[in-house]
Amino acid sequence: MWPLYAAGFTTAFGAHGIAANLGGAGRDAVTSLLVLGGLLALYDGAEVLLKPVFGTIADRVGARPVLLGGLVGFAVASAVYVLADSPGWLWAARLGQGAAASAFSPAASALVSRLNPAAKQGRAFGSYGFYKSIGYTLGPLLGGVLVWAGGLRLLFTVLAVLGAAVAVWALVAVPVVPPLPRARQTVLDLARRLADPAFLVPTAALAGATAALSVGVGFLPVSGRVAGLGTVATGAAVSVLAACAAAVQPRAGRALDAGRLGARTGLTAGLLLAAAGLACAMLPGLAGVLLAAVLIGVGTGLITPLGFAALASATPPERLGQTMGAAELGRELGDAGGPLLVAAVATTATLTYGYAALAAVLAGGTAVVAAAGARRARRGDEKADVGRAPGG
């Protein structure tokens, strides 16, 4: 499992480590805010388009080859900028990194599920999410240190070495998991499966968690500056958010496996906590920022392992890659949609109303989770009725 955790760390560290430092370090390549936005969008755009594709390929040829190929591709794409060191090649390297992460991220998620029994899915995804959270936390900080010491080329060098090292580790330690026989699937079959509440509800919750996390990381420092806080205080608040998310995920997974926490209850609680955190962000001063960071972190930490474990338990093993790729697409849409919603509302009103808008969306999501749970319960009763003998 450890190489899979390292793969999760790699994609998170690579995404945030470069994104947080492009604006300050890439002055030759980043000539305007529009160019910066384009470079940031390349990575996420590649993931949105390609994760479902690579997830389906992982089901067809096996998740391990896709994992290894993605890690090698990530190392090669990172090395491209190290060797070329020109603005044009920075675009190519960033696109290549996003495409490679689109391959090994859903493949790693599928392997986490395939290599663990159903009774340990929560713990496995909790640990996987923990190491991804560490990558998100260390990316901006350690990336900034590397850029300070040697510029963007040093950061890309470290990413190239990291990708290659994890690929070798996975080659040696990750067992061969052959693809499972699959029944023929039509486009209509796929649409039905992706429209099923068993897929939609966890994916929507994961998208909501990612939206809250992105807004917290991006906008809480803005609220802190408005309240007169310095960069150290606002940076500490973001670190608290990431630390809470990292600490909660393994505990939530273990609670799910032990039967102390149900997936529907946990997803509902996570959405409510994240919504409460966004409501606290509307409060002025340091107290509001810190409360928001803690509650958003705990809420997203609850949702992430429970959402992926619920998806894994409801998916045929031979379709895990496809499901994980589609779920990752949902997370990417939340990652982009949350900040866009808050920014749009803040532009026409204030940032306070932007927080309120996303909080309302997340709170409304709990009604969707409850309705889906009631629908599944009714379906279960109907199946039980059908199975009874007429006189029984």
Side-chain angles (χ1 to χ4, degrees), residues 58-133:
D59 289 333
R60 184 171 298 147
V61 304
R64 186 173 180 268
V66 177
L67 173 76
L68 296 174
L71 287 167
V72 170
F74 188 87
V76 171
S78 302
V80 162
Y81 180 71
V82 176
L83 298 175
D85 190 21
S86 68
W89 284 107
L90 176 60
W91 287 80
R94 195 63 176 153
L95 179 62
Q97 285 181 329
S102 302
F104 71 78
S105 183
S109 297
L111 284 167
V112 167
S113 181
R114 287 284 305 275
L115 294 174
N116 286 276
K120 294 185 178 180
Q121 294 280 306
R123 181 176 301 186
F125 280 109
S127 298
Y128 180 70
F130 170 81
Y131 287 102
K132 285 193 78 167
S133 294

Side-chain angles (χ1 to χ4, degrees), residues 187-243:
V187 174
L188 183 58
D189 293 331
L190 175 61
R192 285 172 179 164
R193 189 159 60 83
L194 298 185
D196 192 295
F199 173 82
L200 284 179
V201 171
T203 302
L206 288 167
T210 309
L213 182 65
S214 297
V215 167
V217 171
F219 288 94
L220 284 182
V222 177
S223 296
R225 286 197 297 271
V226 171
L229 304 177
T231 55
V232 174
T234 55
V238 173
S239 296
V240 166
L241 189 159

Side-chain angles (χ1 to χ4, degrees), residues 375-388:
R375 179 183 172 187
R376 293 189 70 183
R378 287 196 301 271
R379 286 168 59 185
D381 291 340
E382 290 170 0
K383 288 179 181 178
D385 290 338
V386 170
R388 294 192 188 103

Side-chain angles (χ1 to χ4, degrees), residues 88-310:
W89 284 107
L90 176 60
W91 287 80
R94 195 63 176 153
L95 179 62
Q97 285 181 329
S102 302
F104 71 78
S105 183
S109 297
L111 284 167
V112 167
S113 181
R114 287 284 305 275
L115 294 174
N116 286 276
K120 294 185 178 180
Q121 294 280 306
R123 181 176 301 186
F125 280 109
S127 298
Y128 180 70
F130 170 81
Y131 287 102
K132 285 193 78 167
S133 294
I134 295 298
Y136 288 132
T137 304
L138 290 182
L141 177 62
L142 184 55
V145 172
L146 291 171
V147 168
W148 171 79
L152 275 179
R153 290 184 75 184
L154 179 58
L155 176 55
F156 273 87
T157 299
V158 170
L159 291 174
V161 173
L162 178 62
V166 176
V168 172
W169 192 7
L171 178 65
V172 172
V174 175
V176 175
V177 182
L180 296 172
R182 300 179 304 150
R184 183 177 177 273
Q185 177 180 256
T186 66
V187 174
L188 183 58
D189 293 331
L190 175 61
R192 285 172 179 164
R193 189 159 60 83
L194 298 185
D196 192 295
F199 173 82
L200 284 179
V201 171
T203 302
L206 288 167
T210 309
L213 182 65
S214 297
V215 167
V217 171
F219 288 94
L220 284 182
V222 177
S223 296
R225 286 197 297 271
V226 171
L229 304 177
T231 55
V232 174
T234 55
V238 173
S239 296
V240 166
L241 189 159
C244 287
V248 167
Q249 290 191 57
R251 292 171 172 82
R254 288 195 294 269
L256 177 68
D257 291 340
R260 298 192 305 271
L261 179 65
R264 184 175 58 176
T265 301
L267 294 178
T268 301
L271 289 170
L272 288 175
L273 284 168
L278 291 164
C280 288
M282 300 165 64
L283 302 175
L286 178 61
V289 173
L290 284 179
L291 281 172
V294 170
L295 291 173
I296 292 172
V298 172
T300 57
L302 266 176
I303 292 169
T304 302
L306 301 184
F308 277 114

